[in-house]
Structures are given as structure tokens and as C-alpha cells.
Amino acid sequence: MSDILKTIEARDPAEKEYQQAVTEVFKSVKPVLDQNPEYRYSAILERITEPERVIMFRVPWMDDQGKAHVNRGFRVEMNSAIGPFMGGLRFHASVNLSILKFLAFEQVFNNALTTLSMGGGKGGSDFDPKGKSDEEVMRFCQGFMAELFRHIGPNTDVPSGDIGVGAREIGYLFGMYKKLRNEFTSVLTGKGLGWGGSLVRPEATGFGVVYFANEMLATRNDSLAGKTCLVSGSGTVAQHTVEKIIDMGGTVVTLSDSSGYIFDEEGIDRDKLDYVKRLKNLRRGRIMEYTDKYSAAIYTEADSTRDHNPLWDHAADCAFPSATQNEINDKDAGNLIRNGVTLVCEGANMPCTPGAIDLFQDKKILYAPGKAANAGGVAVSGLEMAQNSMRLNWPREEVDKRLKIIMRSIHQTCLDAAAEYGRPGNYFMGANIAGFVKVVNAMLDQGLV
Ligand code: NDP
Ligand code: 2IT
């Protein structure tokens, strides 16, 4: 394993996030490899860490002043052993191949855990939608799809949203795909309700995260009722995580964006959450504006020179990182533990650094990796495709019921896999092992391809 990691590092030395994601999976699956020598003979680790295909392309677009710009577009088609590539598109200035390869790699295991037949992929661009007009975003999406359309399809690769890609972007992308193909195909998920979207898809990731947290607490005869929670981010995942925590009787006291975070000691209730949804989804404003409306809340600006994030330094019972990768380092993890947090449930992908994860495991914190806890989003993307195939729409209750069943099943799968390999209660090991075994067994069945 260390030789394979060295080869990955030597081939692409700058891909730090990708190396981090692979290392974390390798750490967990060693006992599986020890018990299954056939995985080694068939170069399974070498194959699973090399994307089936990477597409990189130029996206020229014109701003409102008539000035031309060029961004980079990507689609990483990581693994299709158990189904068509599926996974989000991220539009954010930080996007590069390393970040998309890490996200695509995580997505492979994520999707395997959902019980549905979906391979893993991820894509996006270093285009930054912040501060752009709707028309600029539309022109960019059209330029992006003008190349991506030839690579995707409902049985090949089905993109959806991620950071910076929500309902507006999916609409523009879908419109261009339809025009170029001259057919109405359910090729993207997260579509509008009136044209093939599924009820509960926008809520699914956040709701699923909270269902998963509740399952973890239930193993200790506990629940979210009366718990104080820290949530980061203020986008799709964070908003619906807050919504479900409120439903379950918990209190959320923080939210953030890349400029800073708010701390509202009185708790973010339904009215305040509605305000955040309007602020973020319609006005596309900044989280600091929350304190203009709710003056008891305190805003703290982000500062990248700090060695820790003060958001994670408030007294609480539970933490739900829901913004981005590596947002909880070992210092933050220490602060969380010292302040009484007993559950950390990842809404974002890879938000905890390896040092932070080690600390949570040492202290027997209930820690759920995003691969397991945030799989509700992609699971409902799978349900959206299923509904599209049948050309019907399930009611809200039906989709939510299926989401709950899937999250419960993922939780049990993690526990079973962890117990089977001698690490009872370790969700990190359990998620990696269960996802890995499902995918590599399919790869073995299908021969050396
Ligand atoms: P959104 O774009 O809706 O929201 C992202 C939020 O995180 C925003 O508040 C954003 O602030 C903040 N953020 C983004 N980048 C950074 C950064 N570098 N530093 C600090 N804050 C940052 O995205 P989602 O809610 O969809 O995604 C959040 C996380 O959840 C990501 O890790 C994503 O991969 C993961 N995820 C998403 C799923 C989905 O269904 N959408 C499914 C499973 C996982 P700002 O507005 O300032 O950029
Ligand atoms: O990280 C993720 O799982 C997503 N961004 C959602 C993927 C999807 O296909 O819905």
C-alpha cells in the first residue's frame, strides 16, 4: 500500500487533497486486503485510484460588459463498476484537479453505500459565481455544457450540484444540454420540480445527515432533543441540516460562509432560518447580514492566519461541518472535545483533517465520515433518476420515507462492517470498508477493464 501511495504522490505531487483522501481509505481497508489476497493480484488498489477518464476543457464566456473570460472545466469519471458515474459539479475559485479527484474518489464509496446502483464522478470549474449576474452565470453554464454534453448521458454520467451549483445553475445546464441533444433526457439531477426534479432533493443531504446523527445517538439511547449544535456553511447542506435539527428538538447556534461566521446564543429558529434561506438563495447575500436583522447575534470575520476556527470553539453537544474540506483541524477538534462535543457528523466532504479524525477516535466521539453521513443527497439523486425512468413523481412523504430507510441502512452497514473487521462502533472504518468491498467485488466480477 505504501508503494502505491508513493507512486500516486510521485505521479501527481501537487495533488495533496487527492493523496489525503486515498490515504484515509487505504488506512481503513488494510484488514480487508489481508483477508482477501485476490485483491492484490488483480491490482485493485492501483485501478481504484486511477480515474477511468478525466475530461478537461476550456470554457470561454462573456461578462455583462462584453469582456471575454476563460475558465477551466473538468469532469472526473472515477469508477463505473456499480453504475453510471454520478456526482456533483462544483463551481468555486479553488477548484482544481486534485480537489475534483478527491471528491470523485469519495463519491465512489458514498454512492456504493446508498444501496443504489451508482458509480462515482465529480466535475466543475474554477469559475466563481459570487458577484456574477444571473446572465453571466447563464452564459458560463451554457459554455460549460457546450463541451460537457458530449461526455454525459443518463446511462453514462449524470452530474448534479455541489458548492456553487444549485437549482439556478442546474436549470441553465439542463437547458443547454436539451438544446444540443434535441431531446428531453433526465441527464442531470437536482432539476426543477416542474421539469423532472424530485421532491426532497434540495433537502436530502442535510436531512440525511441529521437522520444519520440520530441513528448514532440512538446507539447510546440518546437523541438530538435538547442538544446544542454547531453548524458551518450556510448553503444547501447547512440550511437543511439546521431545519431537521430544529424538527428534532435541537438548537443550532452557528452558521458561516467563506467571509466569517455568526454565533446566535438564542438559537436559529424557523423564522431566522427562513431569513437565511432568502438571504442566501434569493438575494445571494453574506452571512454577516444576519446580525443586521438579529442584533443579539455576533459576527466574526474569517481570518486565514489563525491556527483554528473560532466557530468550533463554542460550548456544544454536536458539530455538523457543512461547508468545505479540511475546515476542522486538530486544534479545532481539541477545542470541540474540550467544550463538550460528543458527536461530529460530516455534511461536507472531508471537512475533518486526518489529525482531527484521529483525535475524535481516540476520545470515542461519535464521528461519522461524510461518505456515510452525507450520502442522502446522492441517494435522492438516484431516486430522482428512478422517478424519471418511470415518468412519475413520488409525493414528498414517499421520498422522505425512502431517504430515512437508506440512511438507516447505511448506518447499519457501517456498524456491521466495522464489527466484522474488529473495530466495533468505528463508523470511519465501517464506511470505508463497506463501500470498498462493494466496489472492488464488482470490479473483480467484471474482469480487467
Ligand atoms: P453551497 O454552495 O450551497 O454552500 C457552501 C457553503 O460553504 C457556503 O456557505 C460557502 O460560503 C461555504 N464555503 C464554501 N467554500 C468555502 C471555503 N473554502 N471556506 C469557507 N466556507 C466555504 O454548497 P453545498 O451546501 O451544496 O455543499 C457544502 C458541502 O457539502 C461541500 O463539501 C459539498 O461537497 C458537500 N455535499 C453537498 C451535497 C449536496 O447535495 N449539495 C451532497 C453531499 C455533500 P460562500 O457562500 O462564501 O462561498
Ligand atoms: O457530494 C455529493 O454527494 C453531491 N454533491 C451530490 C451528488 C449527487 O449526485 O447528487
Side-chain angles (χ1 to χ4, degrees), residues 187-427:
V187 72
L188 292 150
T189 61
K191 299 185 288 294
L193 274 182
W195 42 278
S198 173
L199 284 160
V200 193
R201 176 61 192 88
E203 296 90 339
T205 309
F207 282 14
V209 166
V210 181
Y211 294 150
F212 197 95
N214 211 43
E215 291 291 326
M216 289 202 290
L217 287 166
T219 65
R220 296 187 181 175
N221 293 321
D222 205 349
S223 78
L224 276 164
K227 297 275 189 295
T228 300
C229 304
L230 308 176
V231 176
S232 63
S234 49
T236 315
V237 179
Q239 291 168 16
H240 299 106
T241 296
V242 176
E243 187 171 332
K244 194 46 77 179
I245 291 172
I246 296 173
D247 285 350
M248 293 201 171
T251 304
V252 177
V253 292
T254 57
L255 279 174
S256 69
D257 59 24
S258 48
S259 312
Y261 83 96
I262 57 106
F263 172 65
D264 185 343
E265 198 168 14
E266 293 165 2
I268 299 164
D269 60 19
R270 282 180 210 284
D271 287 345
K272 294 174 181 174
L273 179 61
D274 282 347
Y275 169 79
V276 171
K277 286 184 180 176
R278 284 195 303 277
L279 171 71
K280 283 290 170 182
N281 309 346
L282 300 177
R283 286 204 286 119
R284 300 187 190 276
R286 309 303 297 158
I287 200 66
M288 72 183 298
E289 294 170 51
Y290 183 97
T291 55
D292 299 341
K293 174 105 176 135
Y294 304 107
S295 54
I298 298 162
Y299 176 71
T300 306
E301 217 168 281
D303 177 358
S304 59
T305 62
R306 279 194 208 106
D307 63 355
H308 70 290
N309 181 349
L311 186 156
W312 305 120
D313 201 5
H314 292 279
D317 305 296
C318 307
F320 292 86
S322 313
T324 194
Q325 62 275 1
N326 292 328
E327 54 169 318
I328 295 185
N329 63 22
D330 47 359
K331 186 113 192 192
D332 298 315
N335 288 338
L336 287 167
I337 295 166
R338 186 170 43 78
N339 287 325
V341 162
T342 56
L343 175 143
V344 178
C345 196
E346 294 185 346
N349 286 306
M350 207 168 75
C352 298
T353 62
I357 297 171
D358 288 347
L359 268 176
F360 295 143
Q361 291 184 337
D362 283 352
K363 299 290 179 201
K364 303 274 180 269
I365 301 290
L366 284 171
Y367 162 72
K371 276 187 202 85
N374 72 27
V378 74
V380 175
S381 282
L383 299 182
E384 181 172 327
M385 294 300 286
Q387 293 169 79
N388 293 162
S389 301
M390 294 183 287
R391 299 193 188 281
L392 53 77
N393 290 92
W394 290 325
R396 173 172 291 275
E397 296 70 31
E398 173 73 20
V399 183
D400 193 39
K401 191 177 86 190
R402 285 176 186 264
L403 172 63
K404 269 192 200 131
I405 292 170
I406 289 172
M407 296 317 297
R408 189 169 302 147
S409 147
I410 297 174
H411 177 263
Q412 194 56 49
T413 301
C414 291
L415 285 185
D416 291 347
E420 187 182 340
Y421 286 93
R423 299 293 295 271
N426 187 323
Y427 292 93

Side-chain angles (χ1 to χ4, degrees), residues 86-88 107 110 122 158-162 189 201 349 374 377-378 381:
M86 284 186 69
Q107 197 81 54
N110 221 221
K122 204 90 185 192
V158 184
S160 70
D162 192 79
T189 61
R201 176 61 192 88
N349 286 306
N374 72 27
V378 74
S381 282

